[in-house]
Amino acid sequence: MGFFFIFIQIVAILRNILSDYYNFFWFCDFISIFIAIFFFLKKEDLIKAVVNIGLLAQLIFLVGIISSTFFGFSFLDSLPQNYSLFYFLSSVLIHLSVTFALILTYKIKPTIKTLFYSIIMLFCMYFVALFFTNPEQGINYVFSSKSLFSLIIPHYTQLWVPLTFIMVVLPTQLIQYLIYRKFMKGSKSKKK
């Protein structure tokens, strides 16, 4: 499975180069290589941690790019104005990477260790955004969420890690657990 995610990473690199966008700090632009490495190393908790961080955001982006392409409007301001068929198809593939990781690991129970790895990854993303990116780029929404949250929550940037953990990671961990539990229940009933 690792090679599949390497392929997705290559597609992400090509998409960015062909669209003259050389910033690879967005979660979706770099995460496939880490998923590949975690599959090669058989580190399921790390894969589940990646799913915790990226599943909801990537699905929201997919809805945004699909609505932009087919209906002419999007709630995302990070999309380029005019993009090619390759940009669209590659973006869809790239933003399905975490969903693919979930599909490939849904039989594995998410654990407390998964949450711990999620926090470590959030801190890494936070510090990279703070020290290596321009706030105007809005990388991973560390400086602004482009929503009401960053307007009503004082010190949003300083609270990004706990906010993201509570509002993104914990709900996704629950989703992963419910999927796992449903599978386990289904497989037990088949054995009877």
Side-chain angles (χ1 to χ4, degrees):
M1 286 286 74
F3 290 109
F4 174 66
F5 291 97
I6 288 174
F7 169 74
I8 294 175
Q9 187 63 59
I10 291 168
V11 170
I13 292 167
L14 285 173
R15 181 200 67 173
N16 286 5
I17 290 170
L18 293 174
S19 61
D20 290 328
Y21 185 75
Y22 297 99
N23 190 333
F24 290 91
F25 290 116
W26 280 98
F27 179 85
C28 60
D29 291 331
F30 70 79
I31 203 58
S32 293
I33 193 64
F34 286 100
I35 296 172
I37 291 166
F38 300 154
F39 268 106
F40 286 131
L41 297 175
K42 296 180 176 34
K43 299 291 186 182
E44 286 114 359
D45 283 326
L46 288 168
I47 297 166
K48 305 292 272 178
V50 168
V51 172
N52 278 347
I53 294 169
L55 182 68
L56 297 177
Q58 287 194 342
L59 291 176
I60 289 168
F61 181 88
L62 281 171
V63 170
I65 195 167
I66 289 169
S67 70
S68 173
T69 302
F70 294 106
F71 305 110
F73 71 90
S74 178
F75 51 86
L76 300 173
D77 63 351
S78 58
L79 288 174
Q81 293 302 95
N82 297 311
Y83 47 85
S84 66
L85 179 62
F86 174 75
Y87 184 92
F88 172 75
L89 293 175
S90 61
S91 292
V92 168
L93 177 64
I94 292 162
H95 287 86
L96 283 173
S97 64
V98 172
T99 302
F100 294 141
L102 173 61
I103 290 168
L104 294 168
T105 61
Y106 76 97
K107 296 179 185 178
I108 300 164
K109 183 178 181 180
T111 64
I112 297 296
K113 196 174 181 181
T114 306
L115 290 174
F116 175 72
Y117 286 141
S118 295
I119 291 173
I120 291 172
M121 288 179 195
L122 287 176
F123 272 110
C124 291
M125 289 169 59
Y126 178 74
F127 287 116
V128 166
L130 282 181
F131 295 112
F132 299 104
T133 69
N134 185 335
E136 285 79 38
Q137 293 173 310
I139 299 295
N140 298 318
Y141 302 111
V142 169
F143 296 100
S144 171
S145 68
K146 308 286 187 200
S147 72
L148 192 57
F149 293 119
S150 57
L151 297 175
I152 62 172
I153 297 175
H155 309 289
Y156 168 84
T157 299
Q158 292 81 0
L159 296 172
W160 184 83
V161 172
L163 286 172
T164 305
F165 183 78
I166 292 166
M167 298 175 69
V168 176
V169 170
L170 289 178
T172 308
Q173 175 93 347
L174 177 62
I175 290 167
Q176 289 197 80
Y177 176 75
L178 293 174
I179 292 170
Y180 163 80
R181 188 171 163 169
K182 181 157 180 67
F183 168 77
M184 292 310 292
K185 190 183 282 186
S187 66
K188 285 180 184 175
S189 65
K190 286 180 184 176
K191 289 179 183 177
K192 290 181 181 178

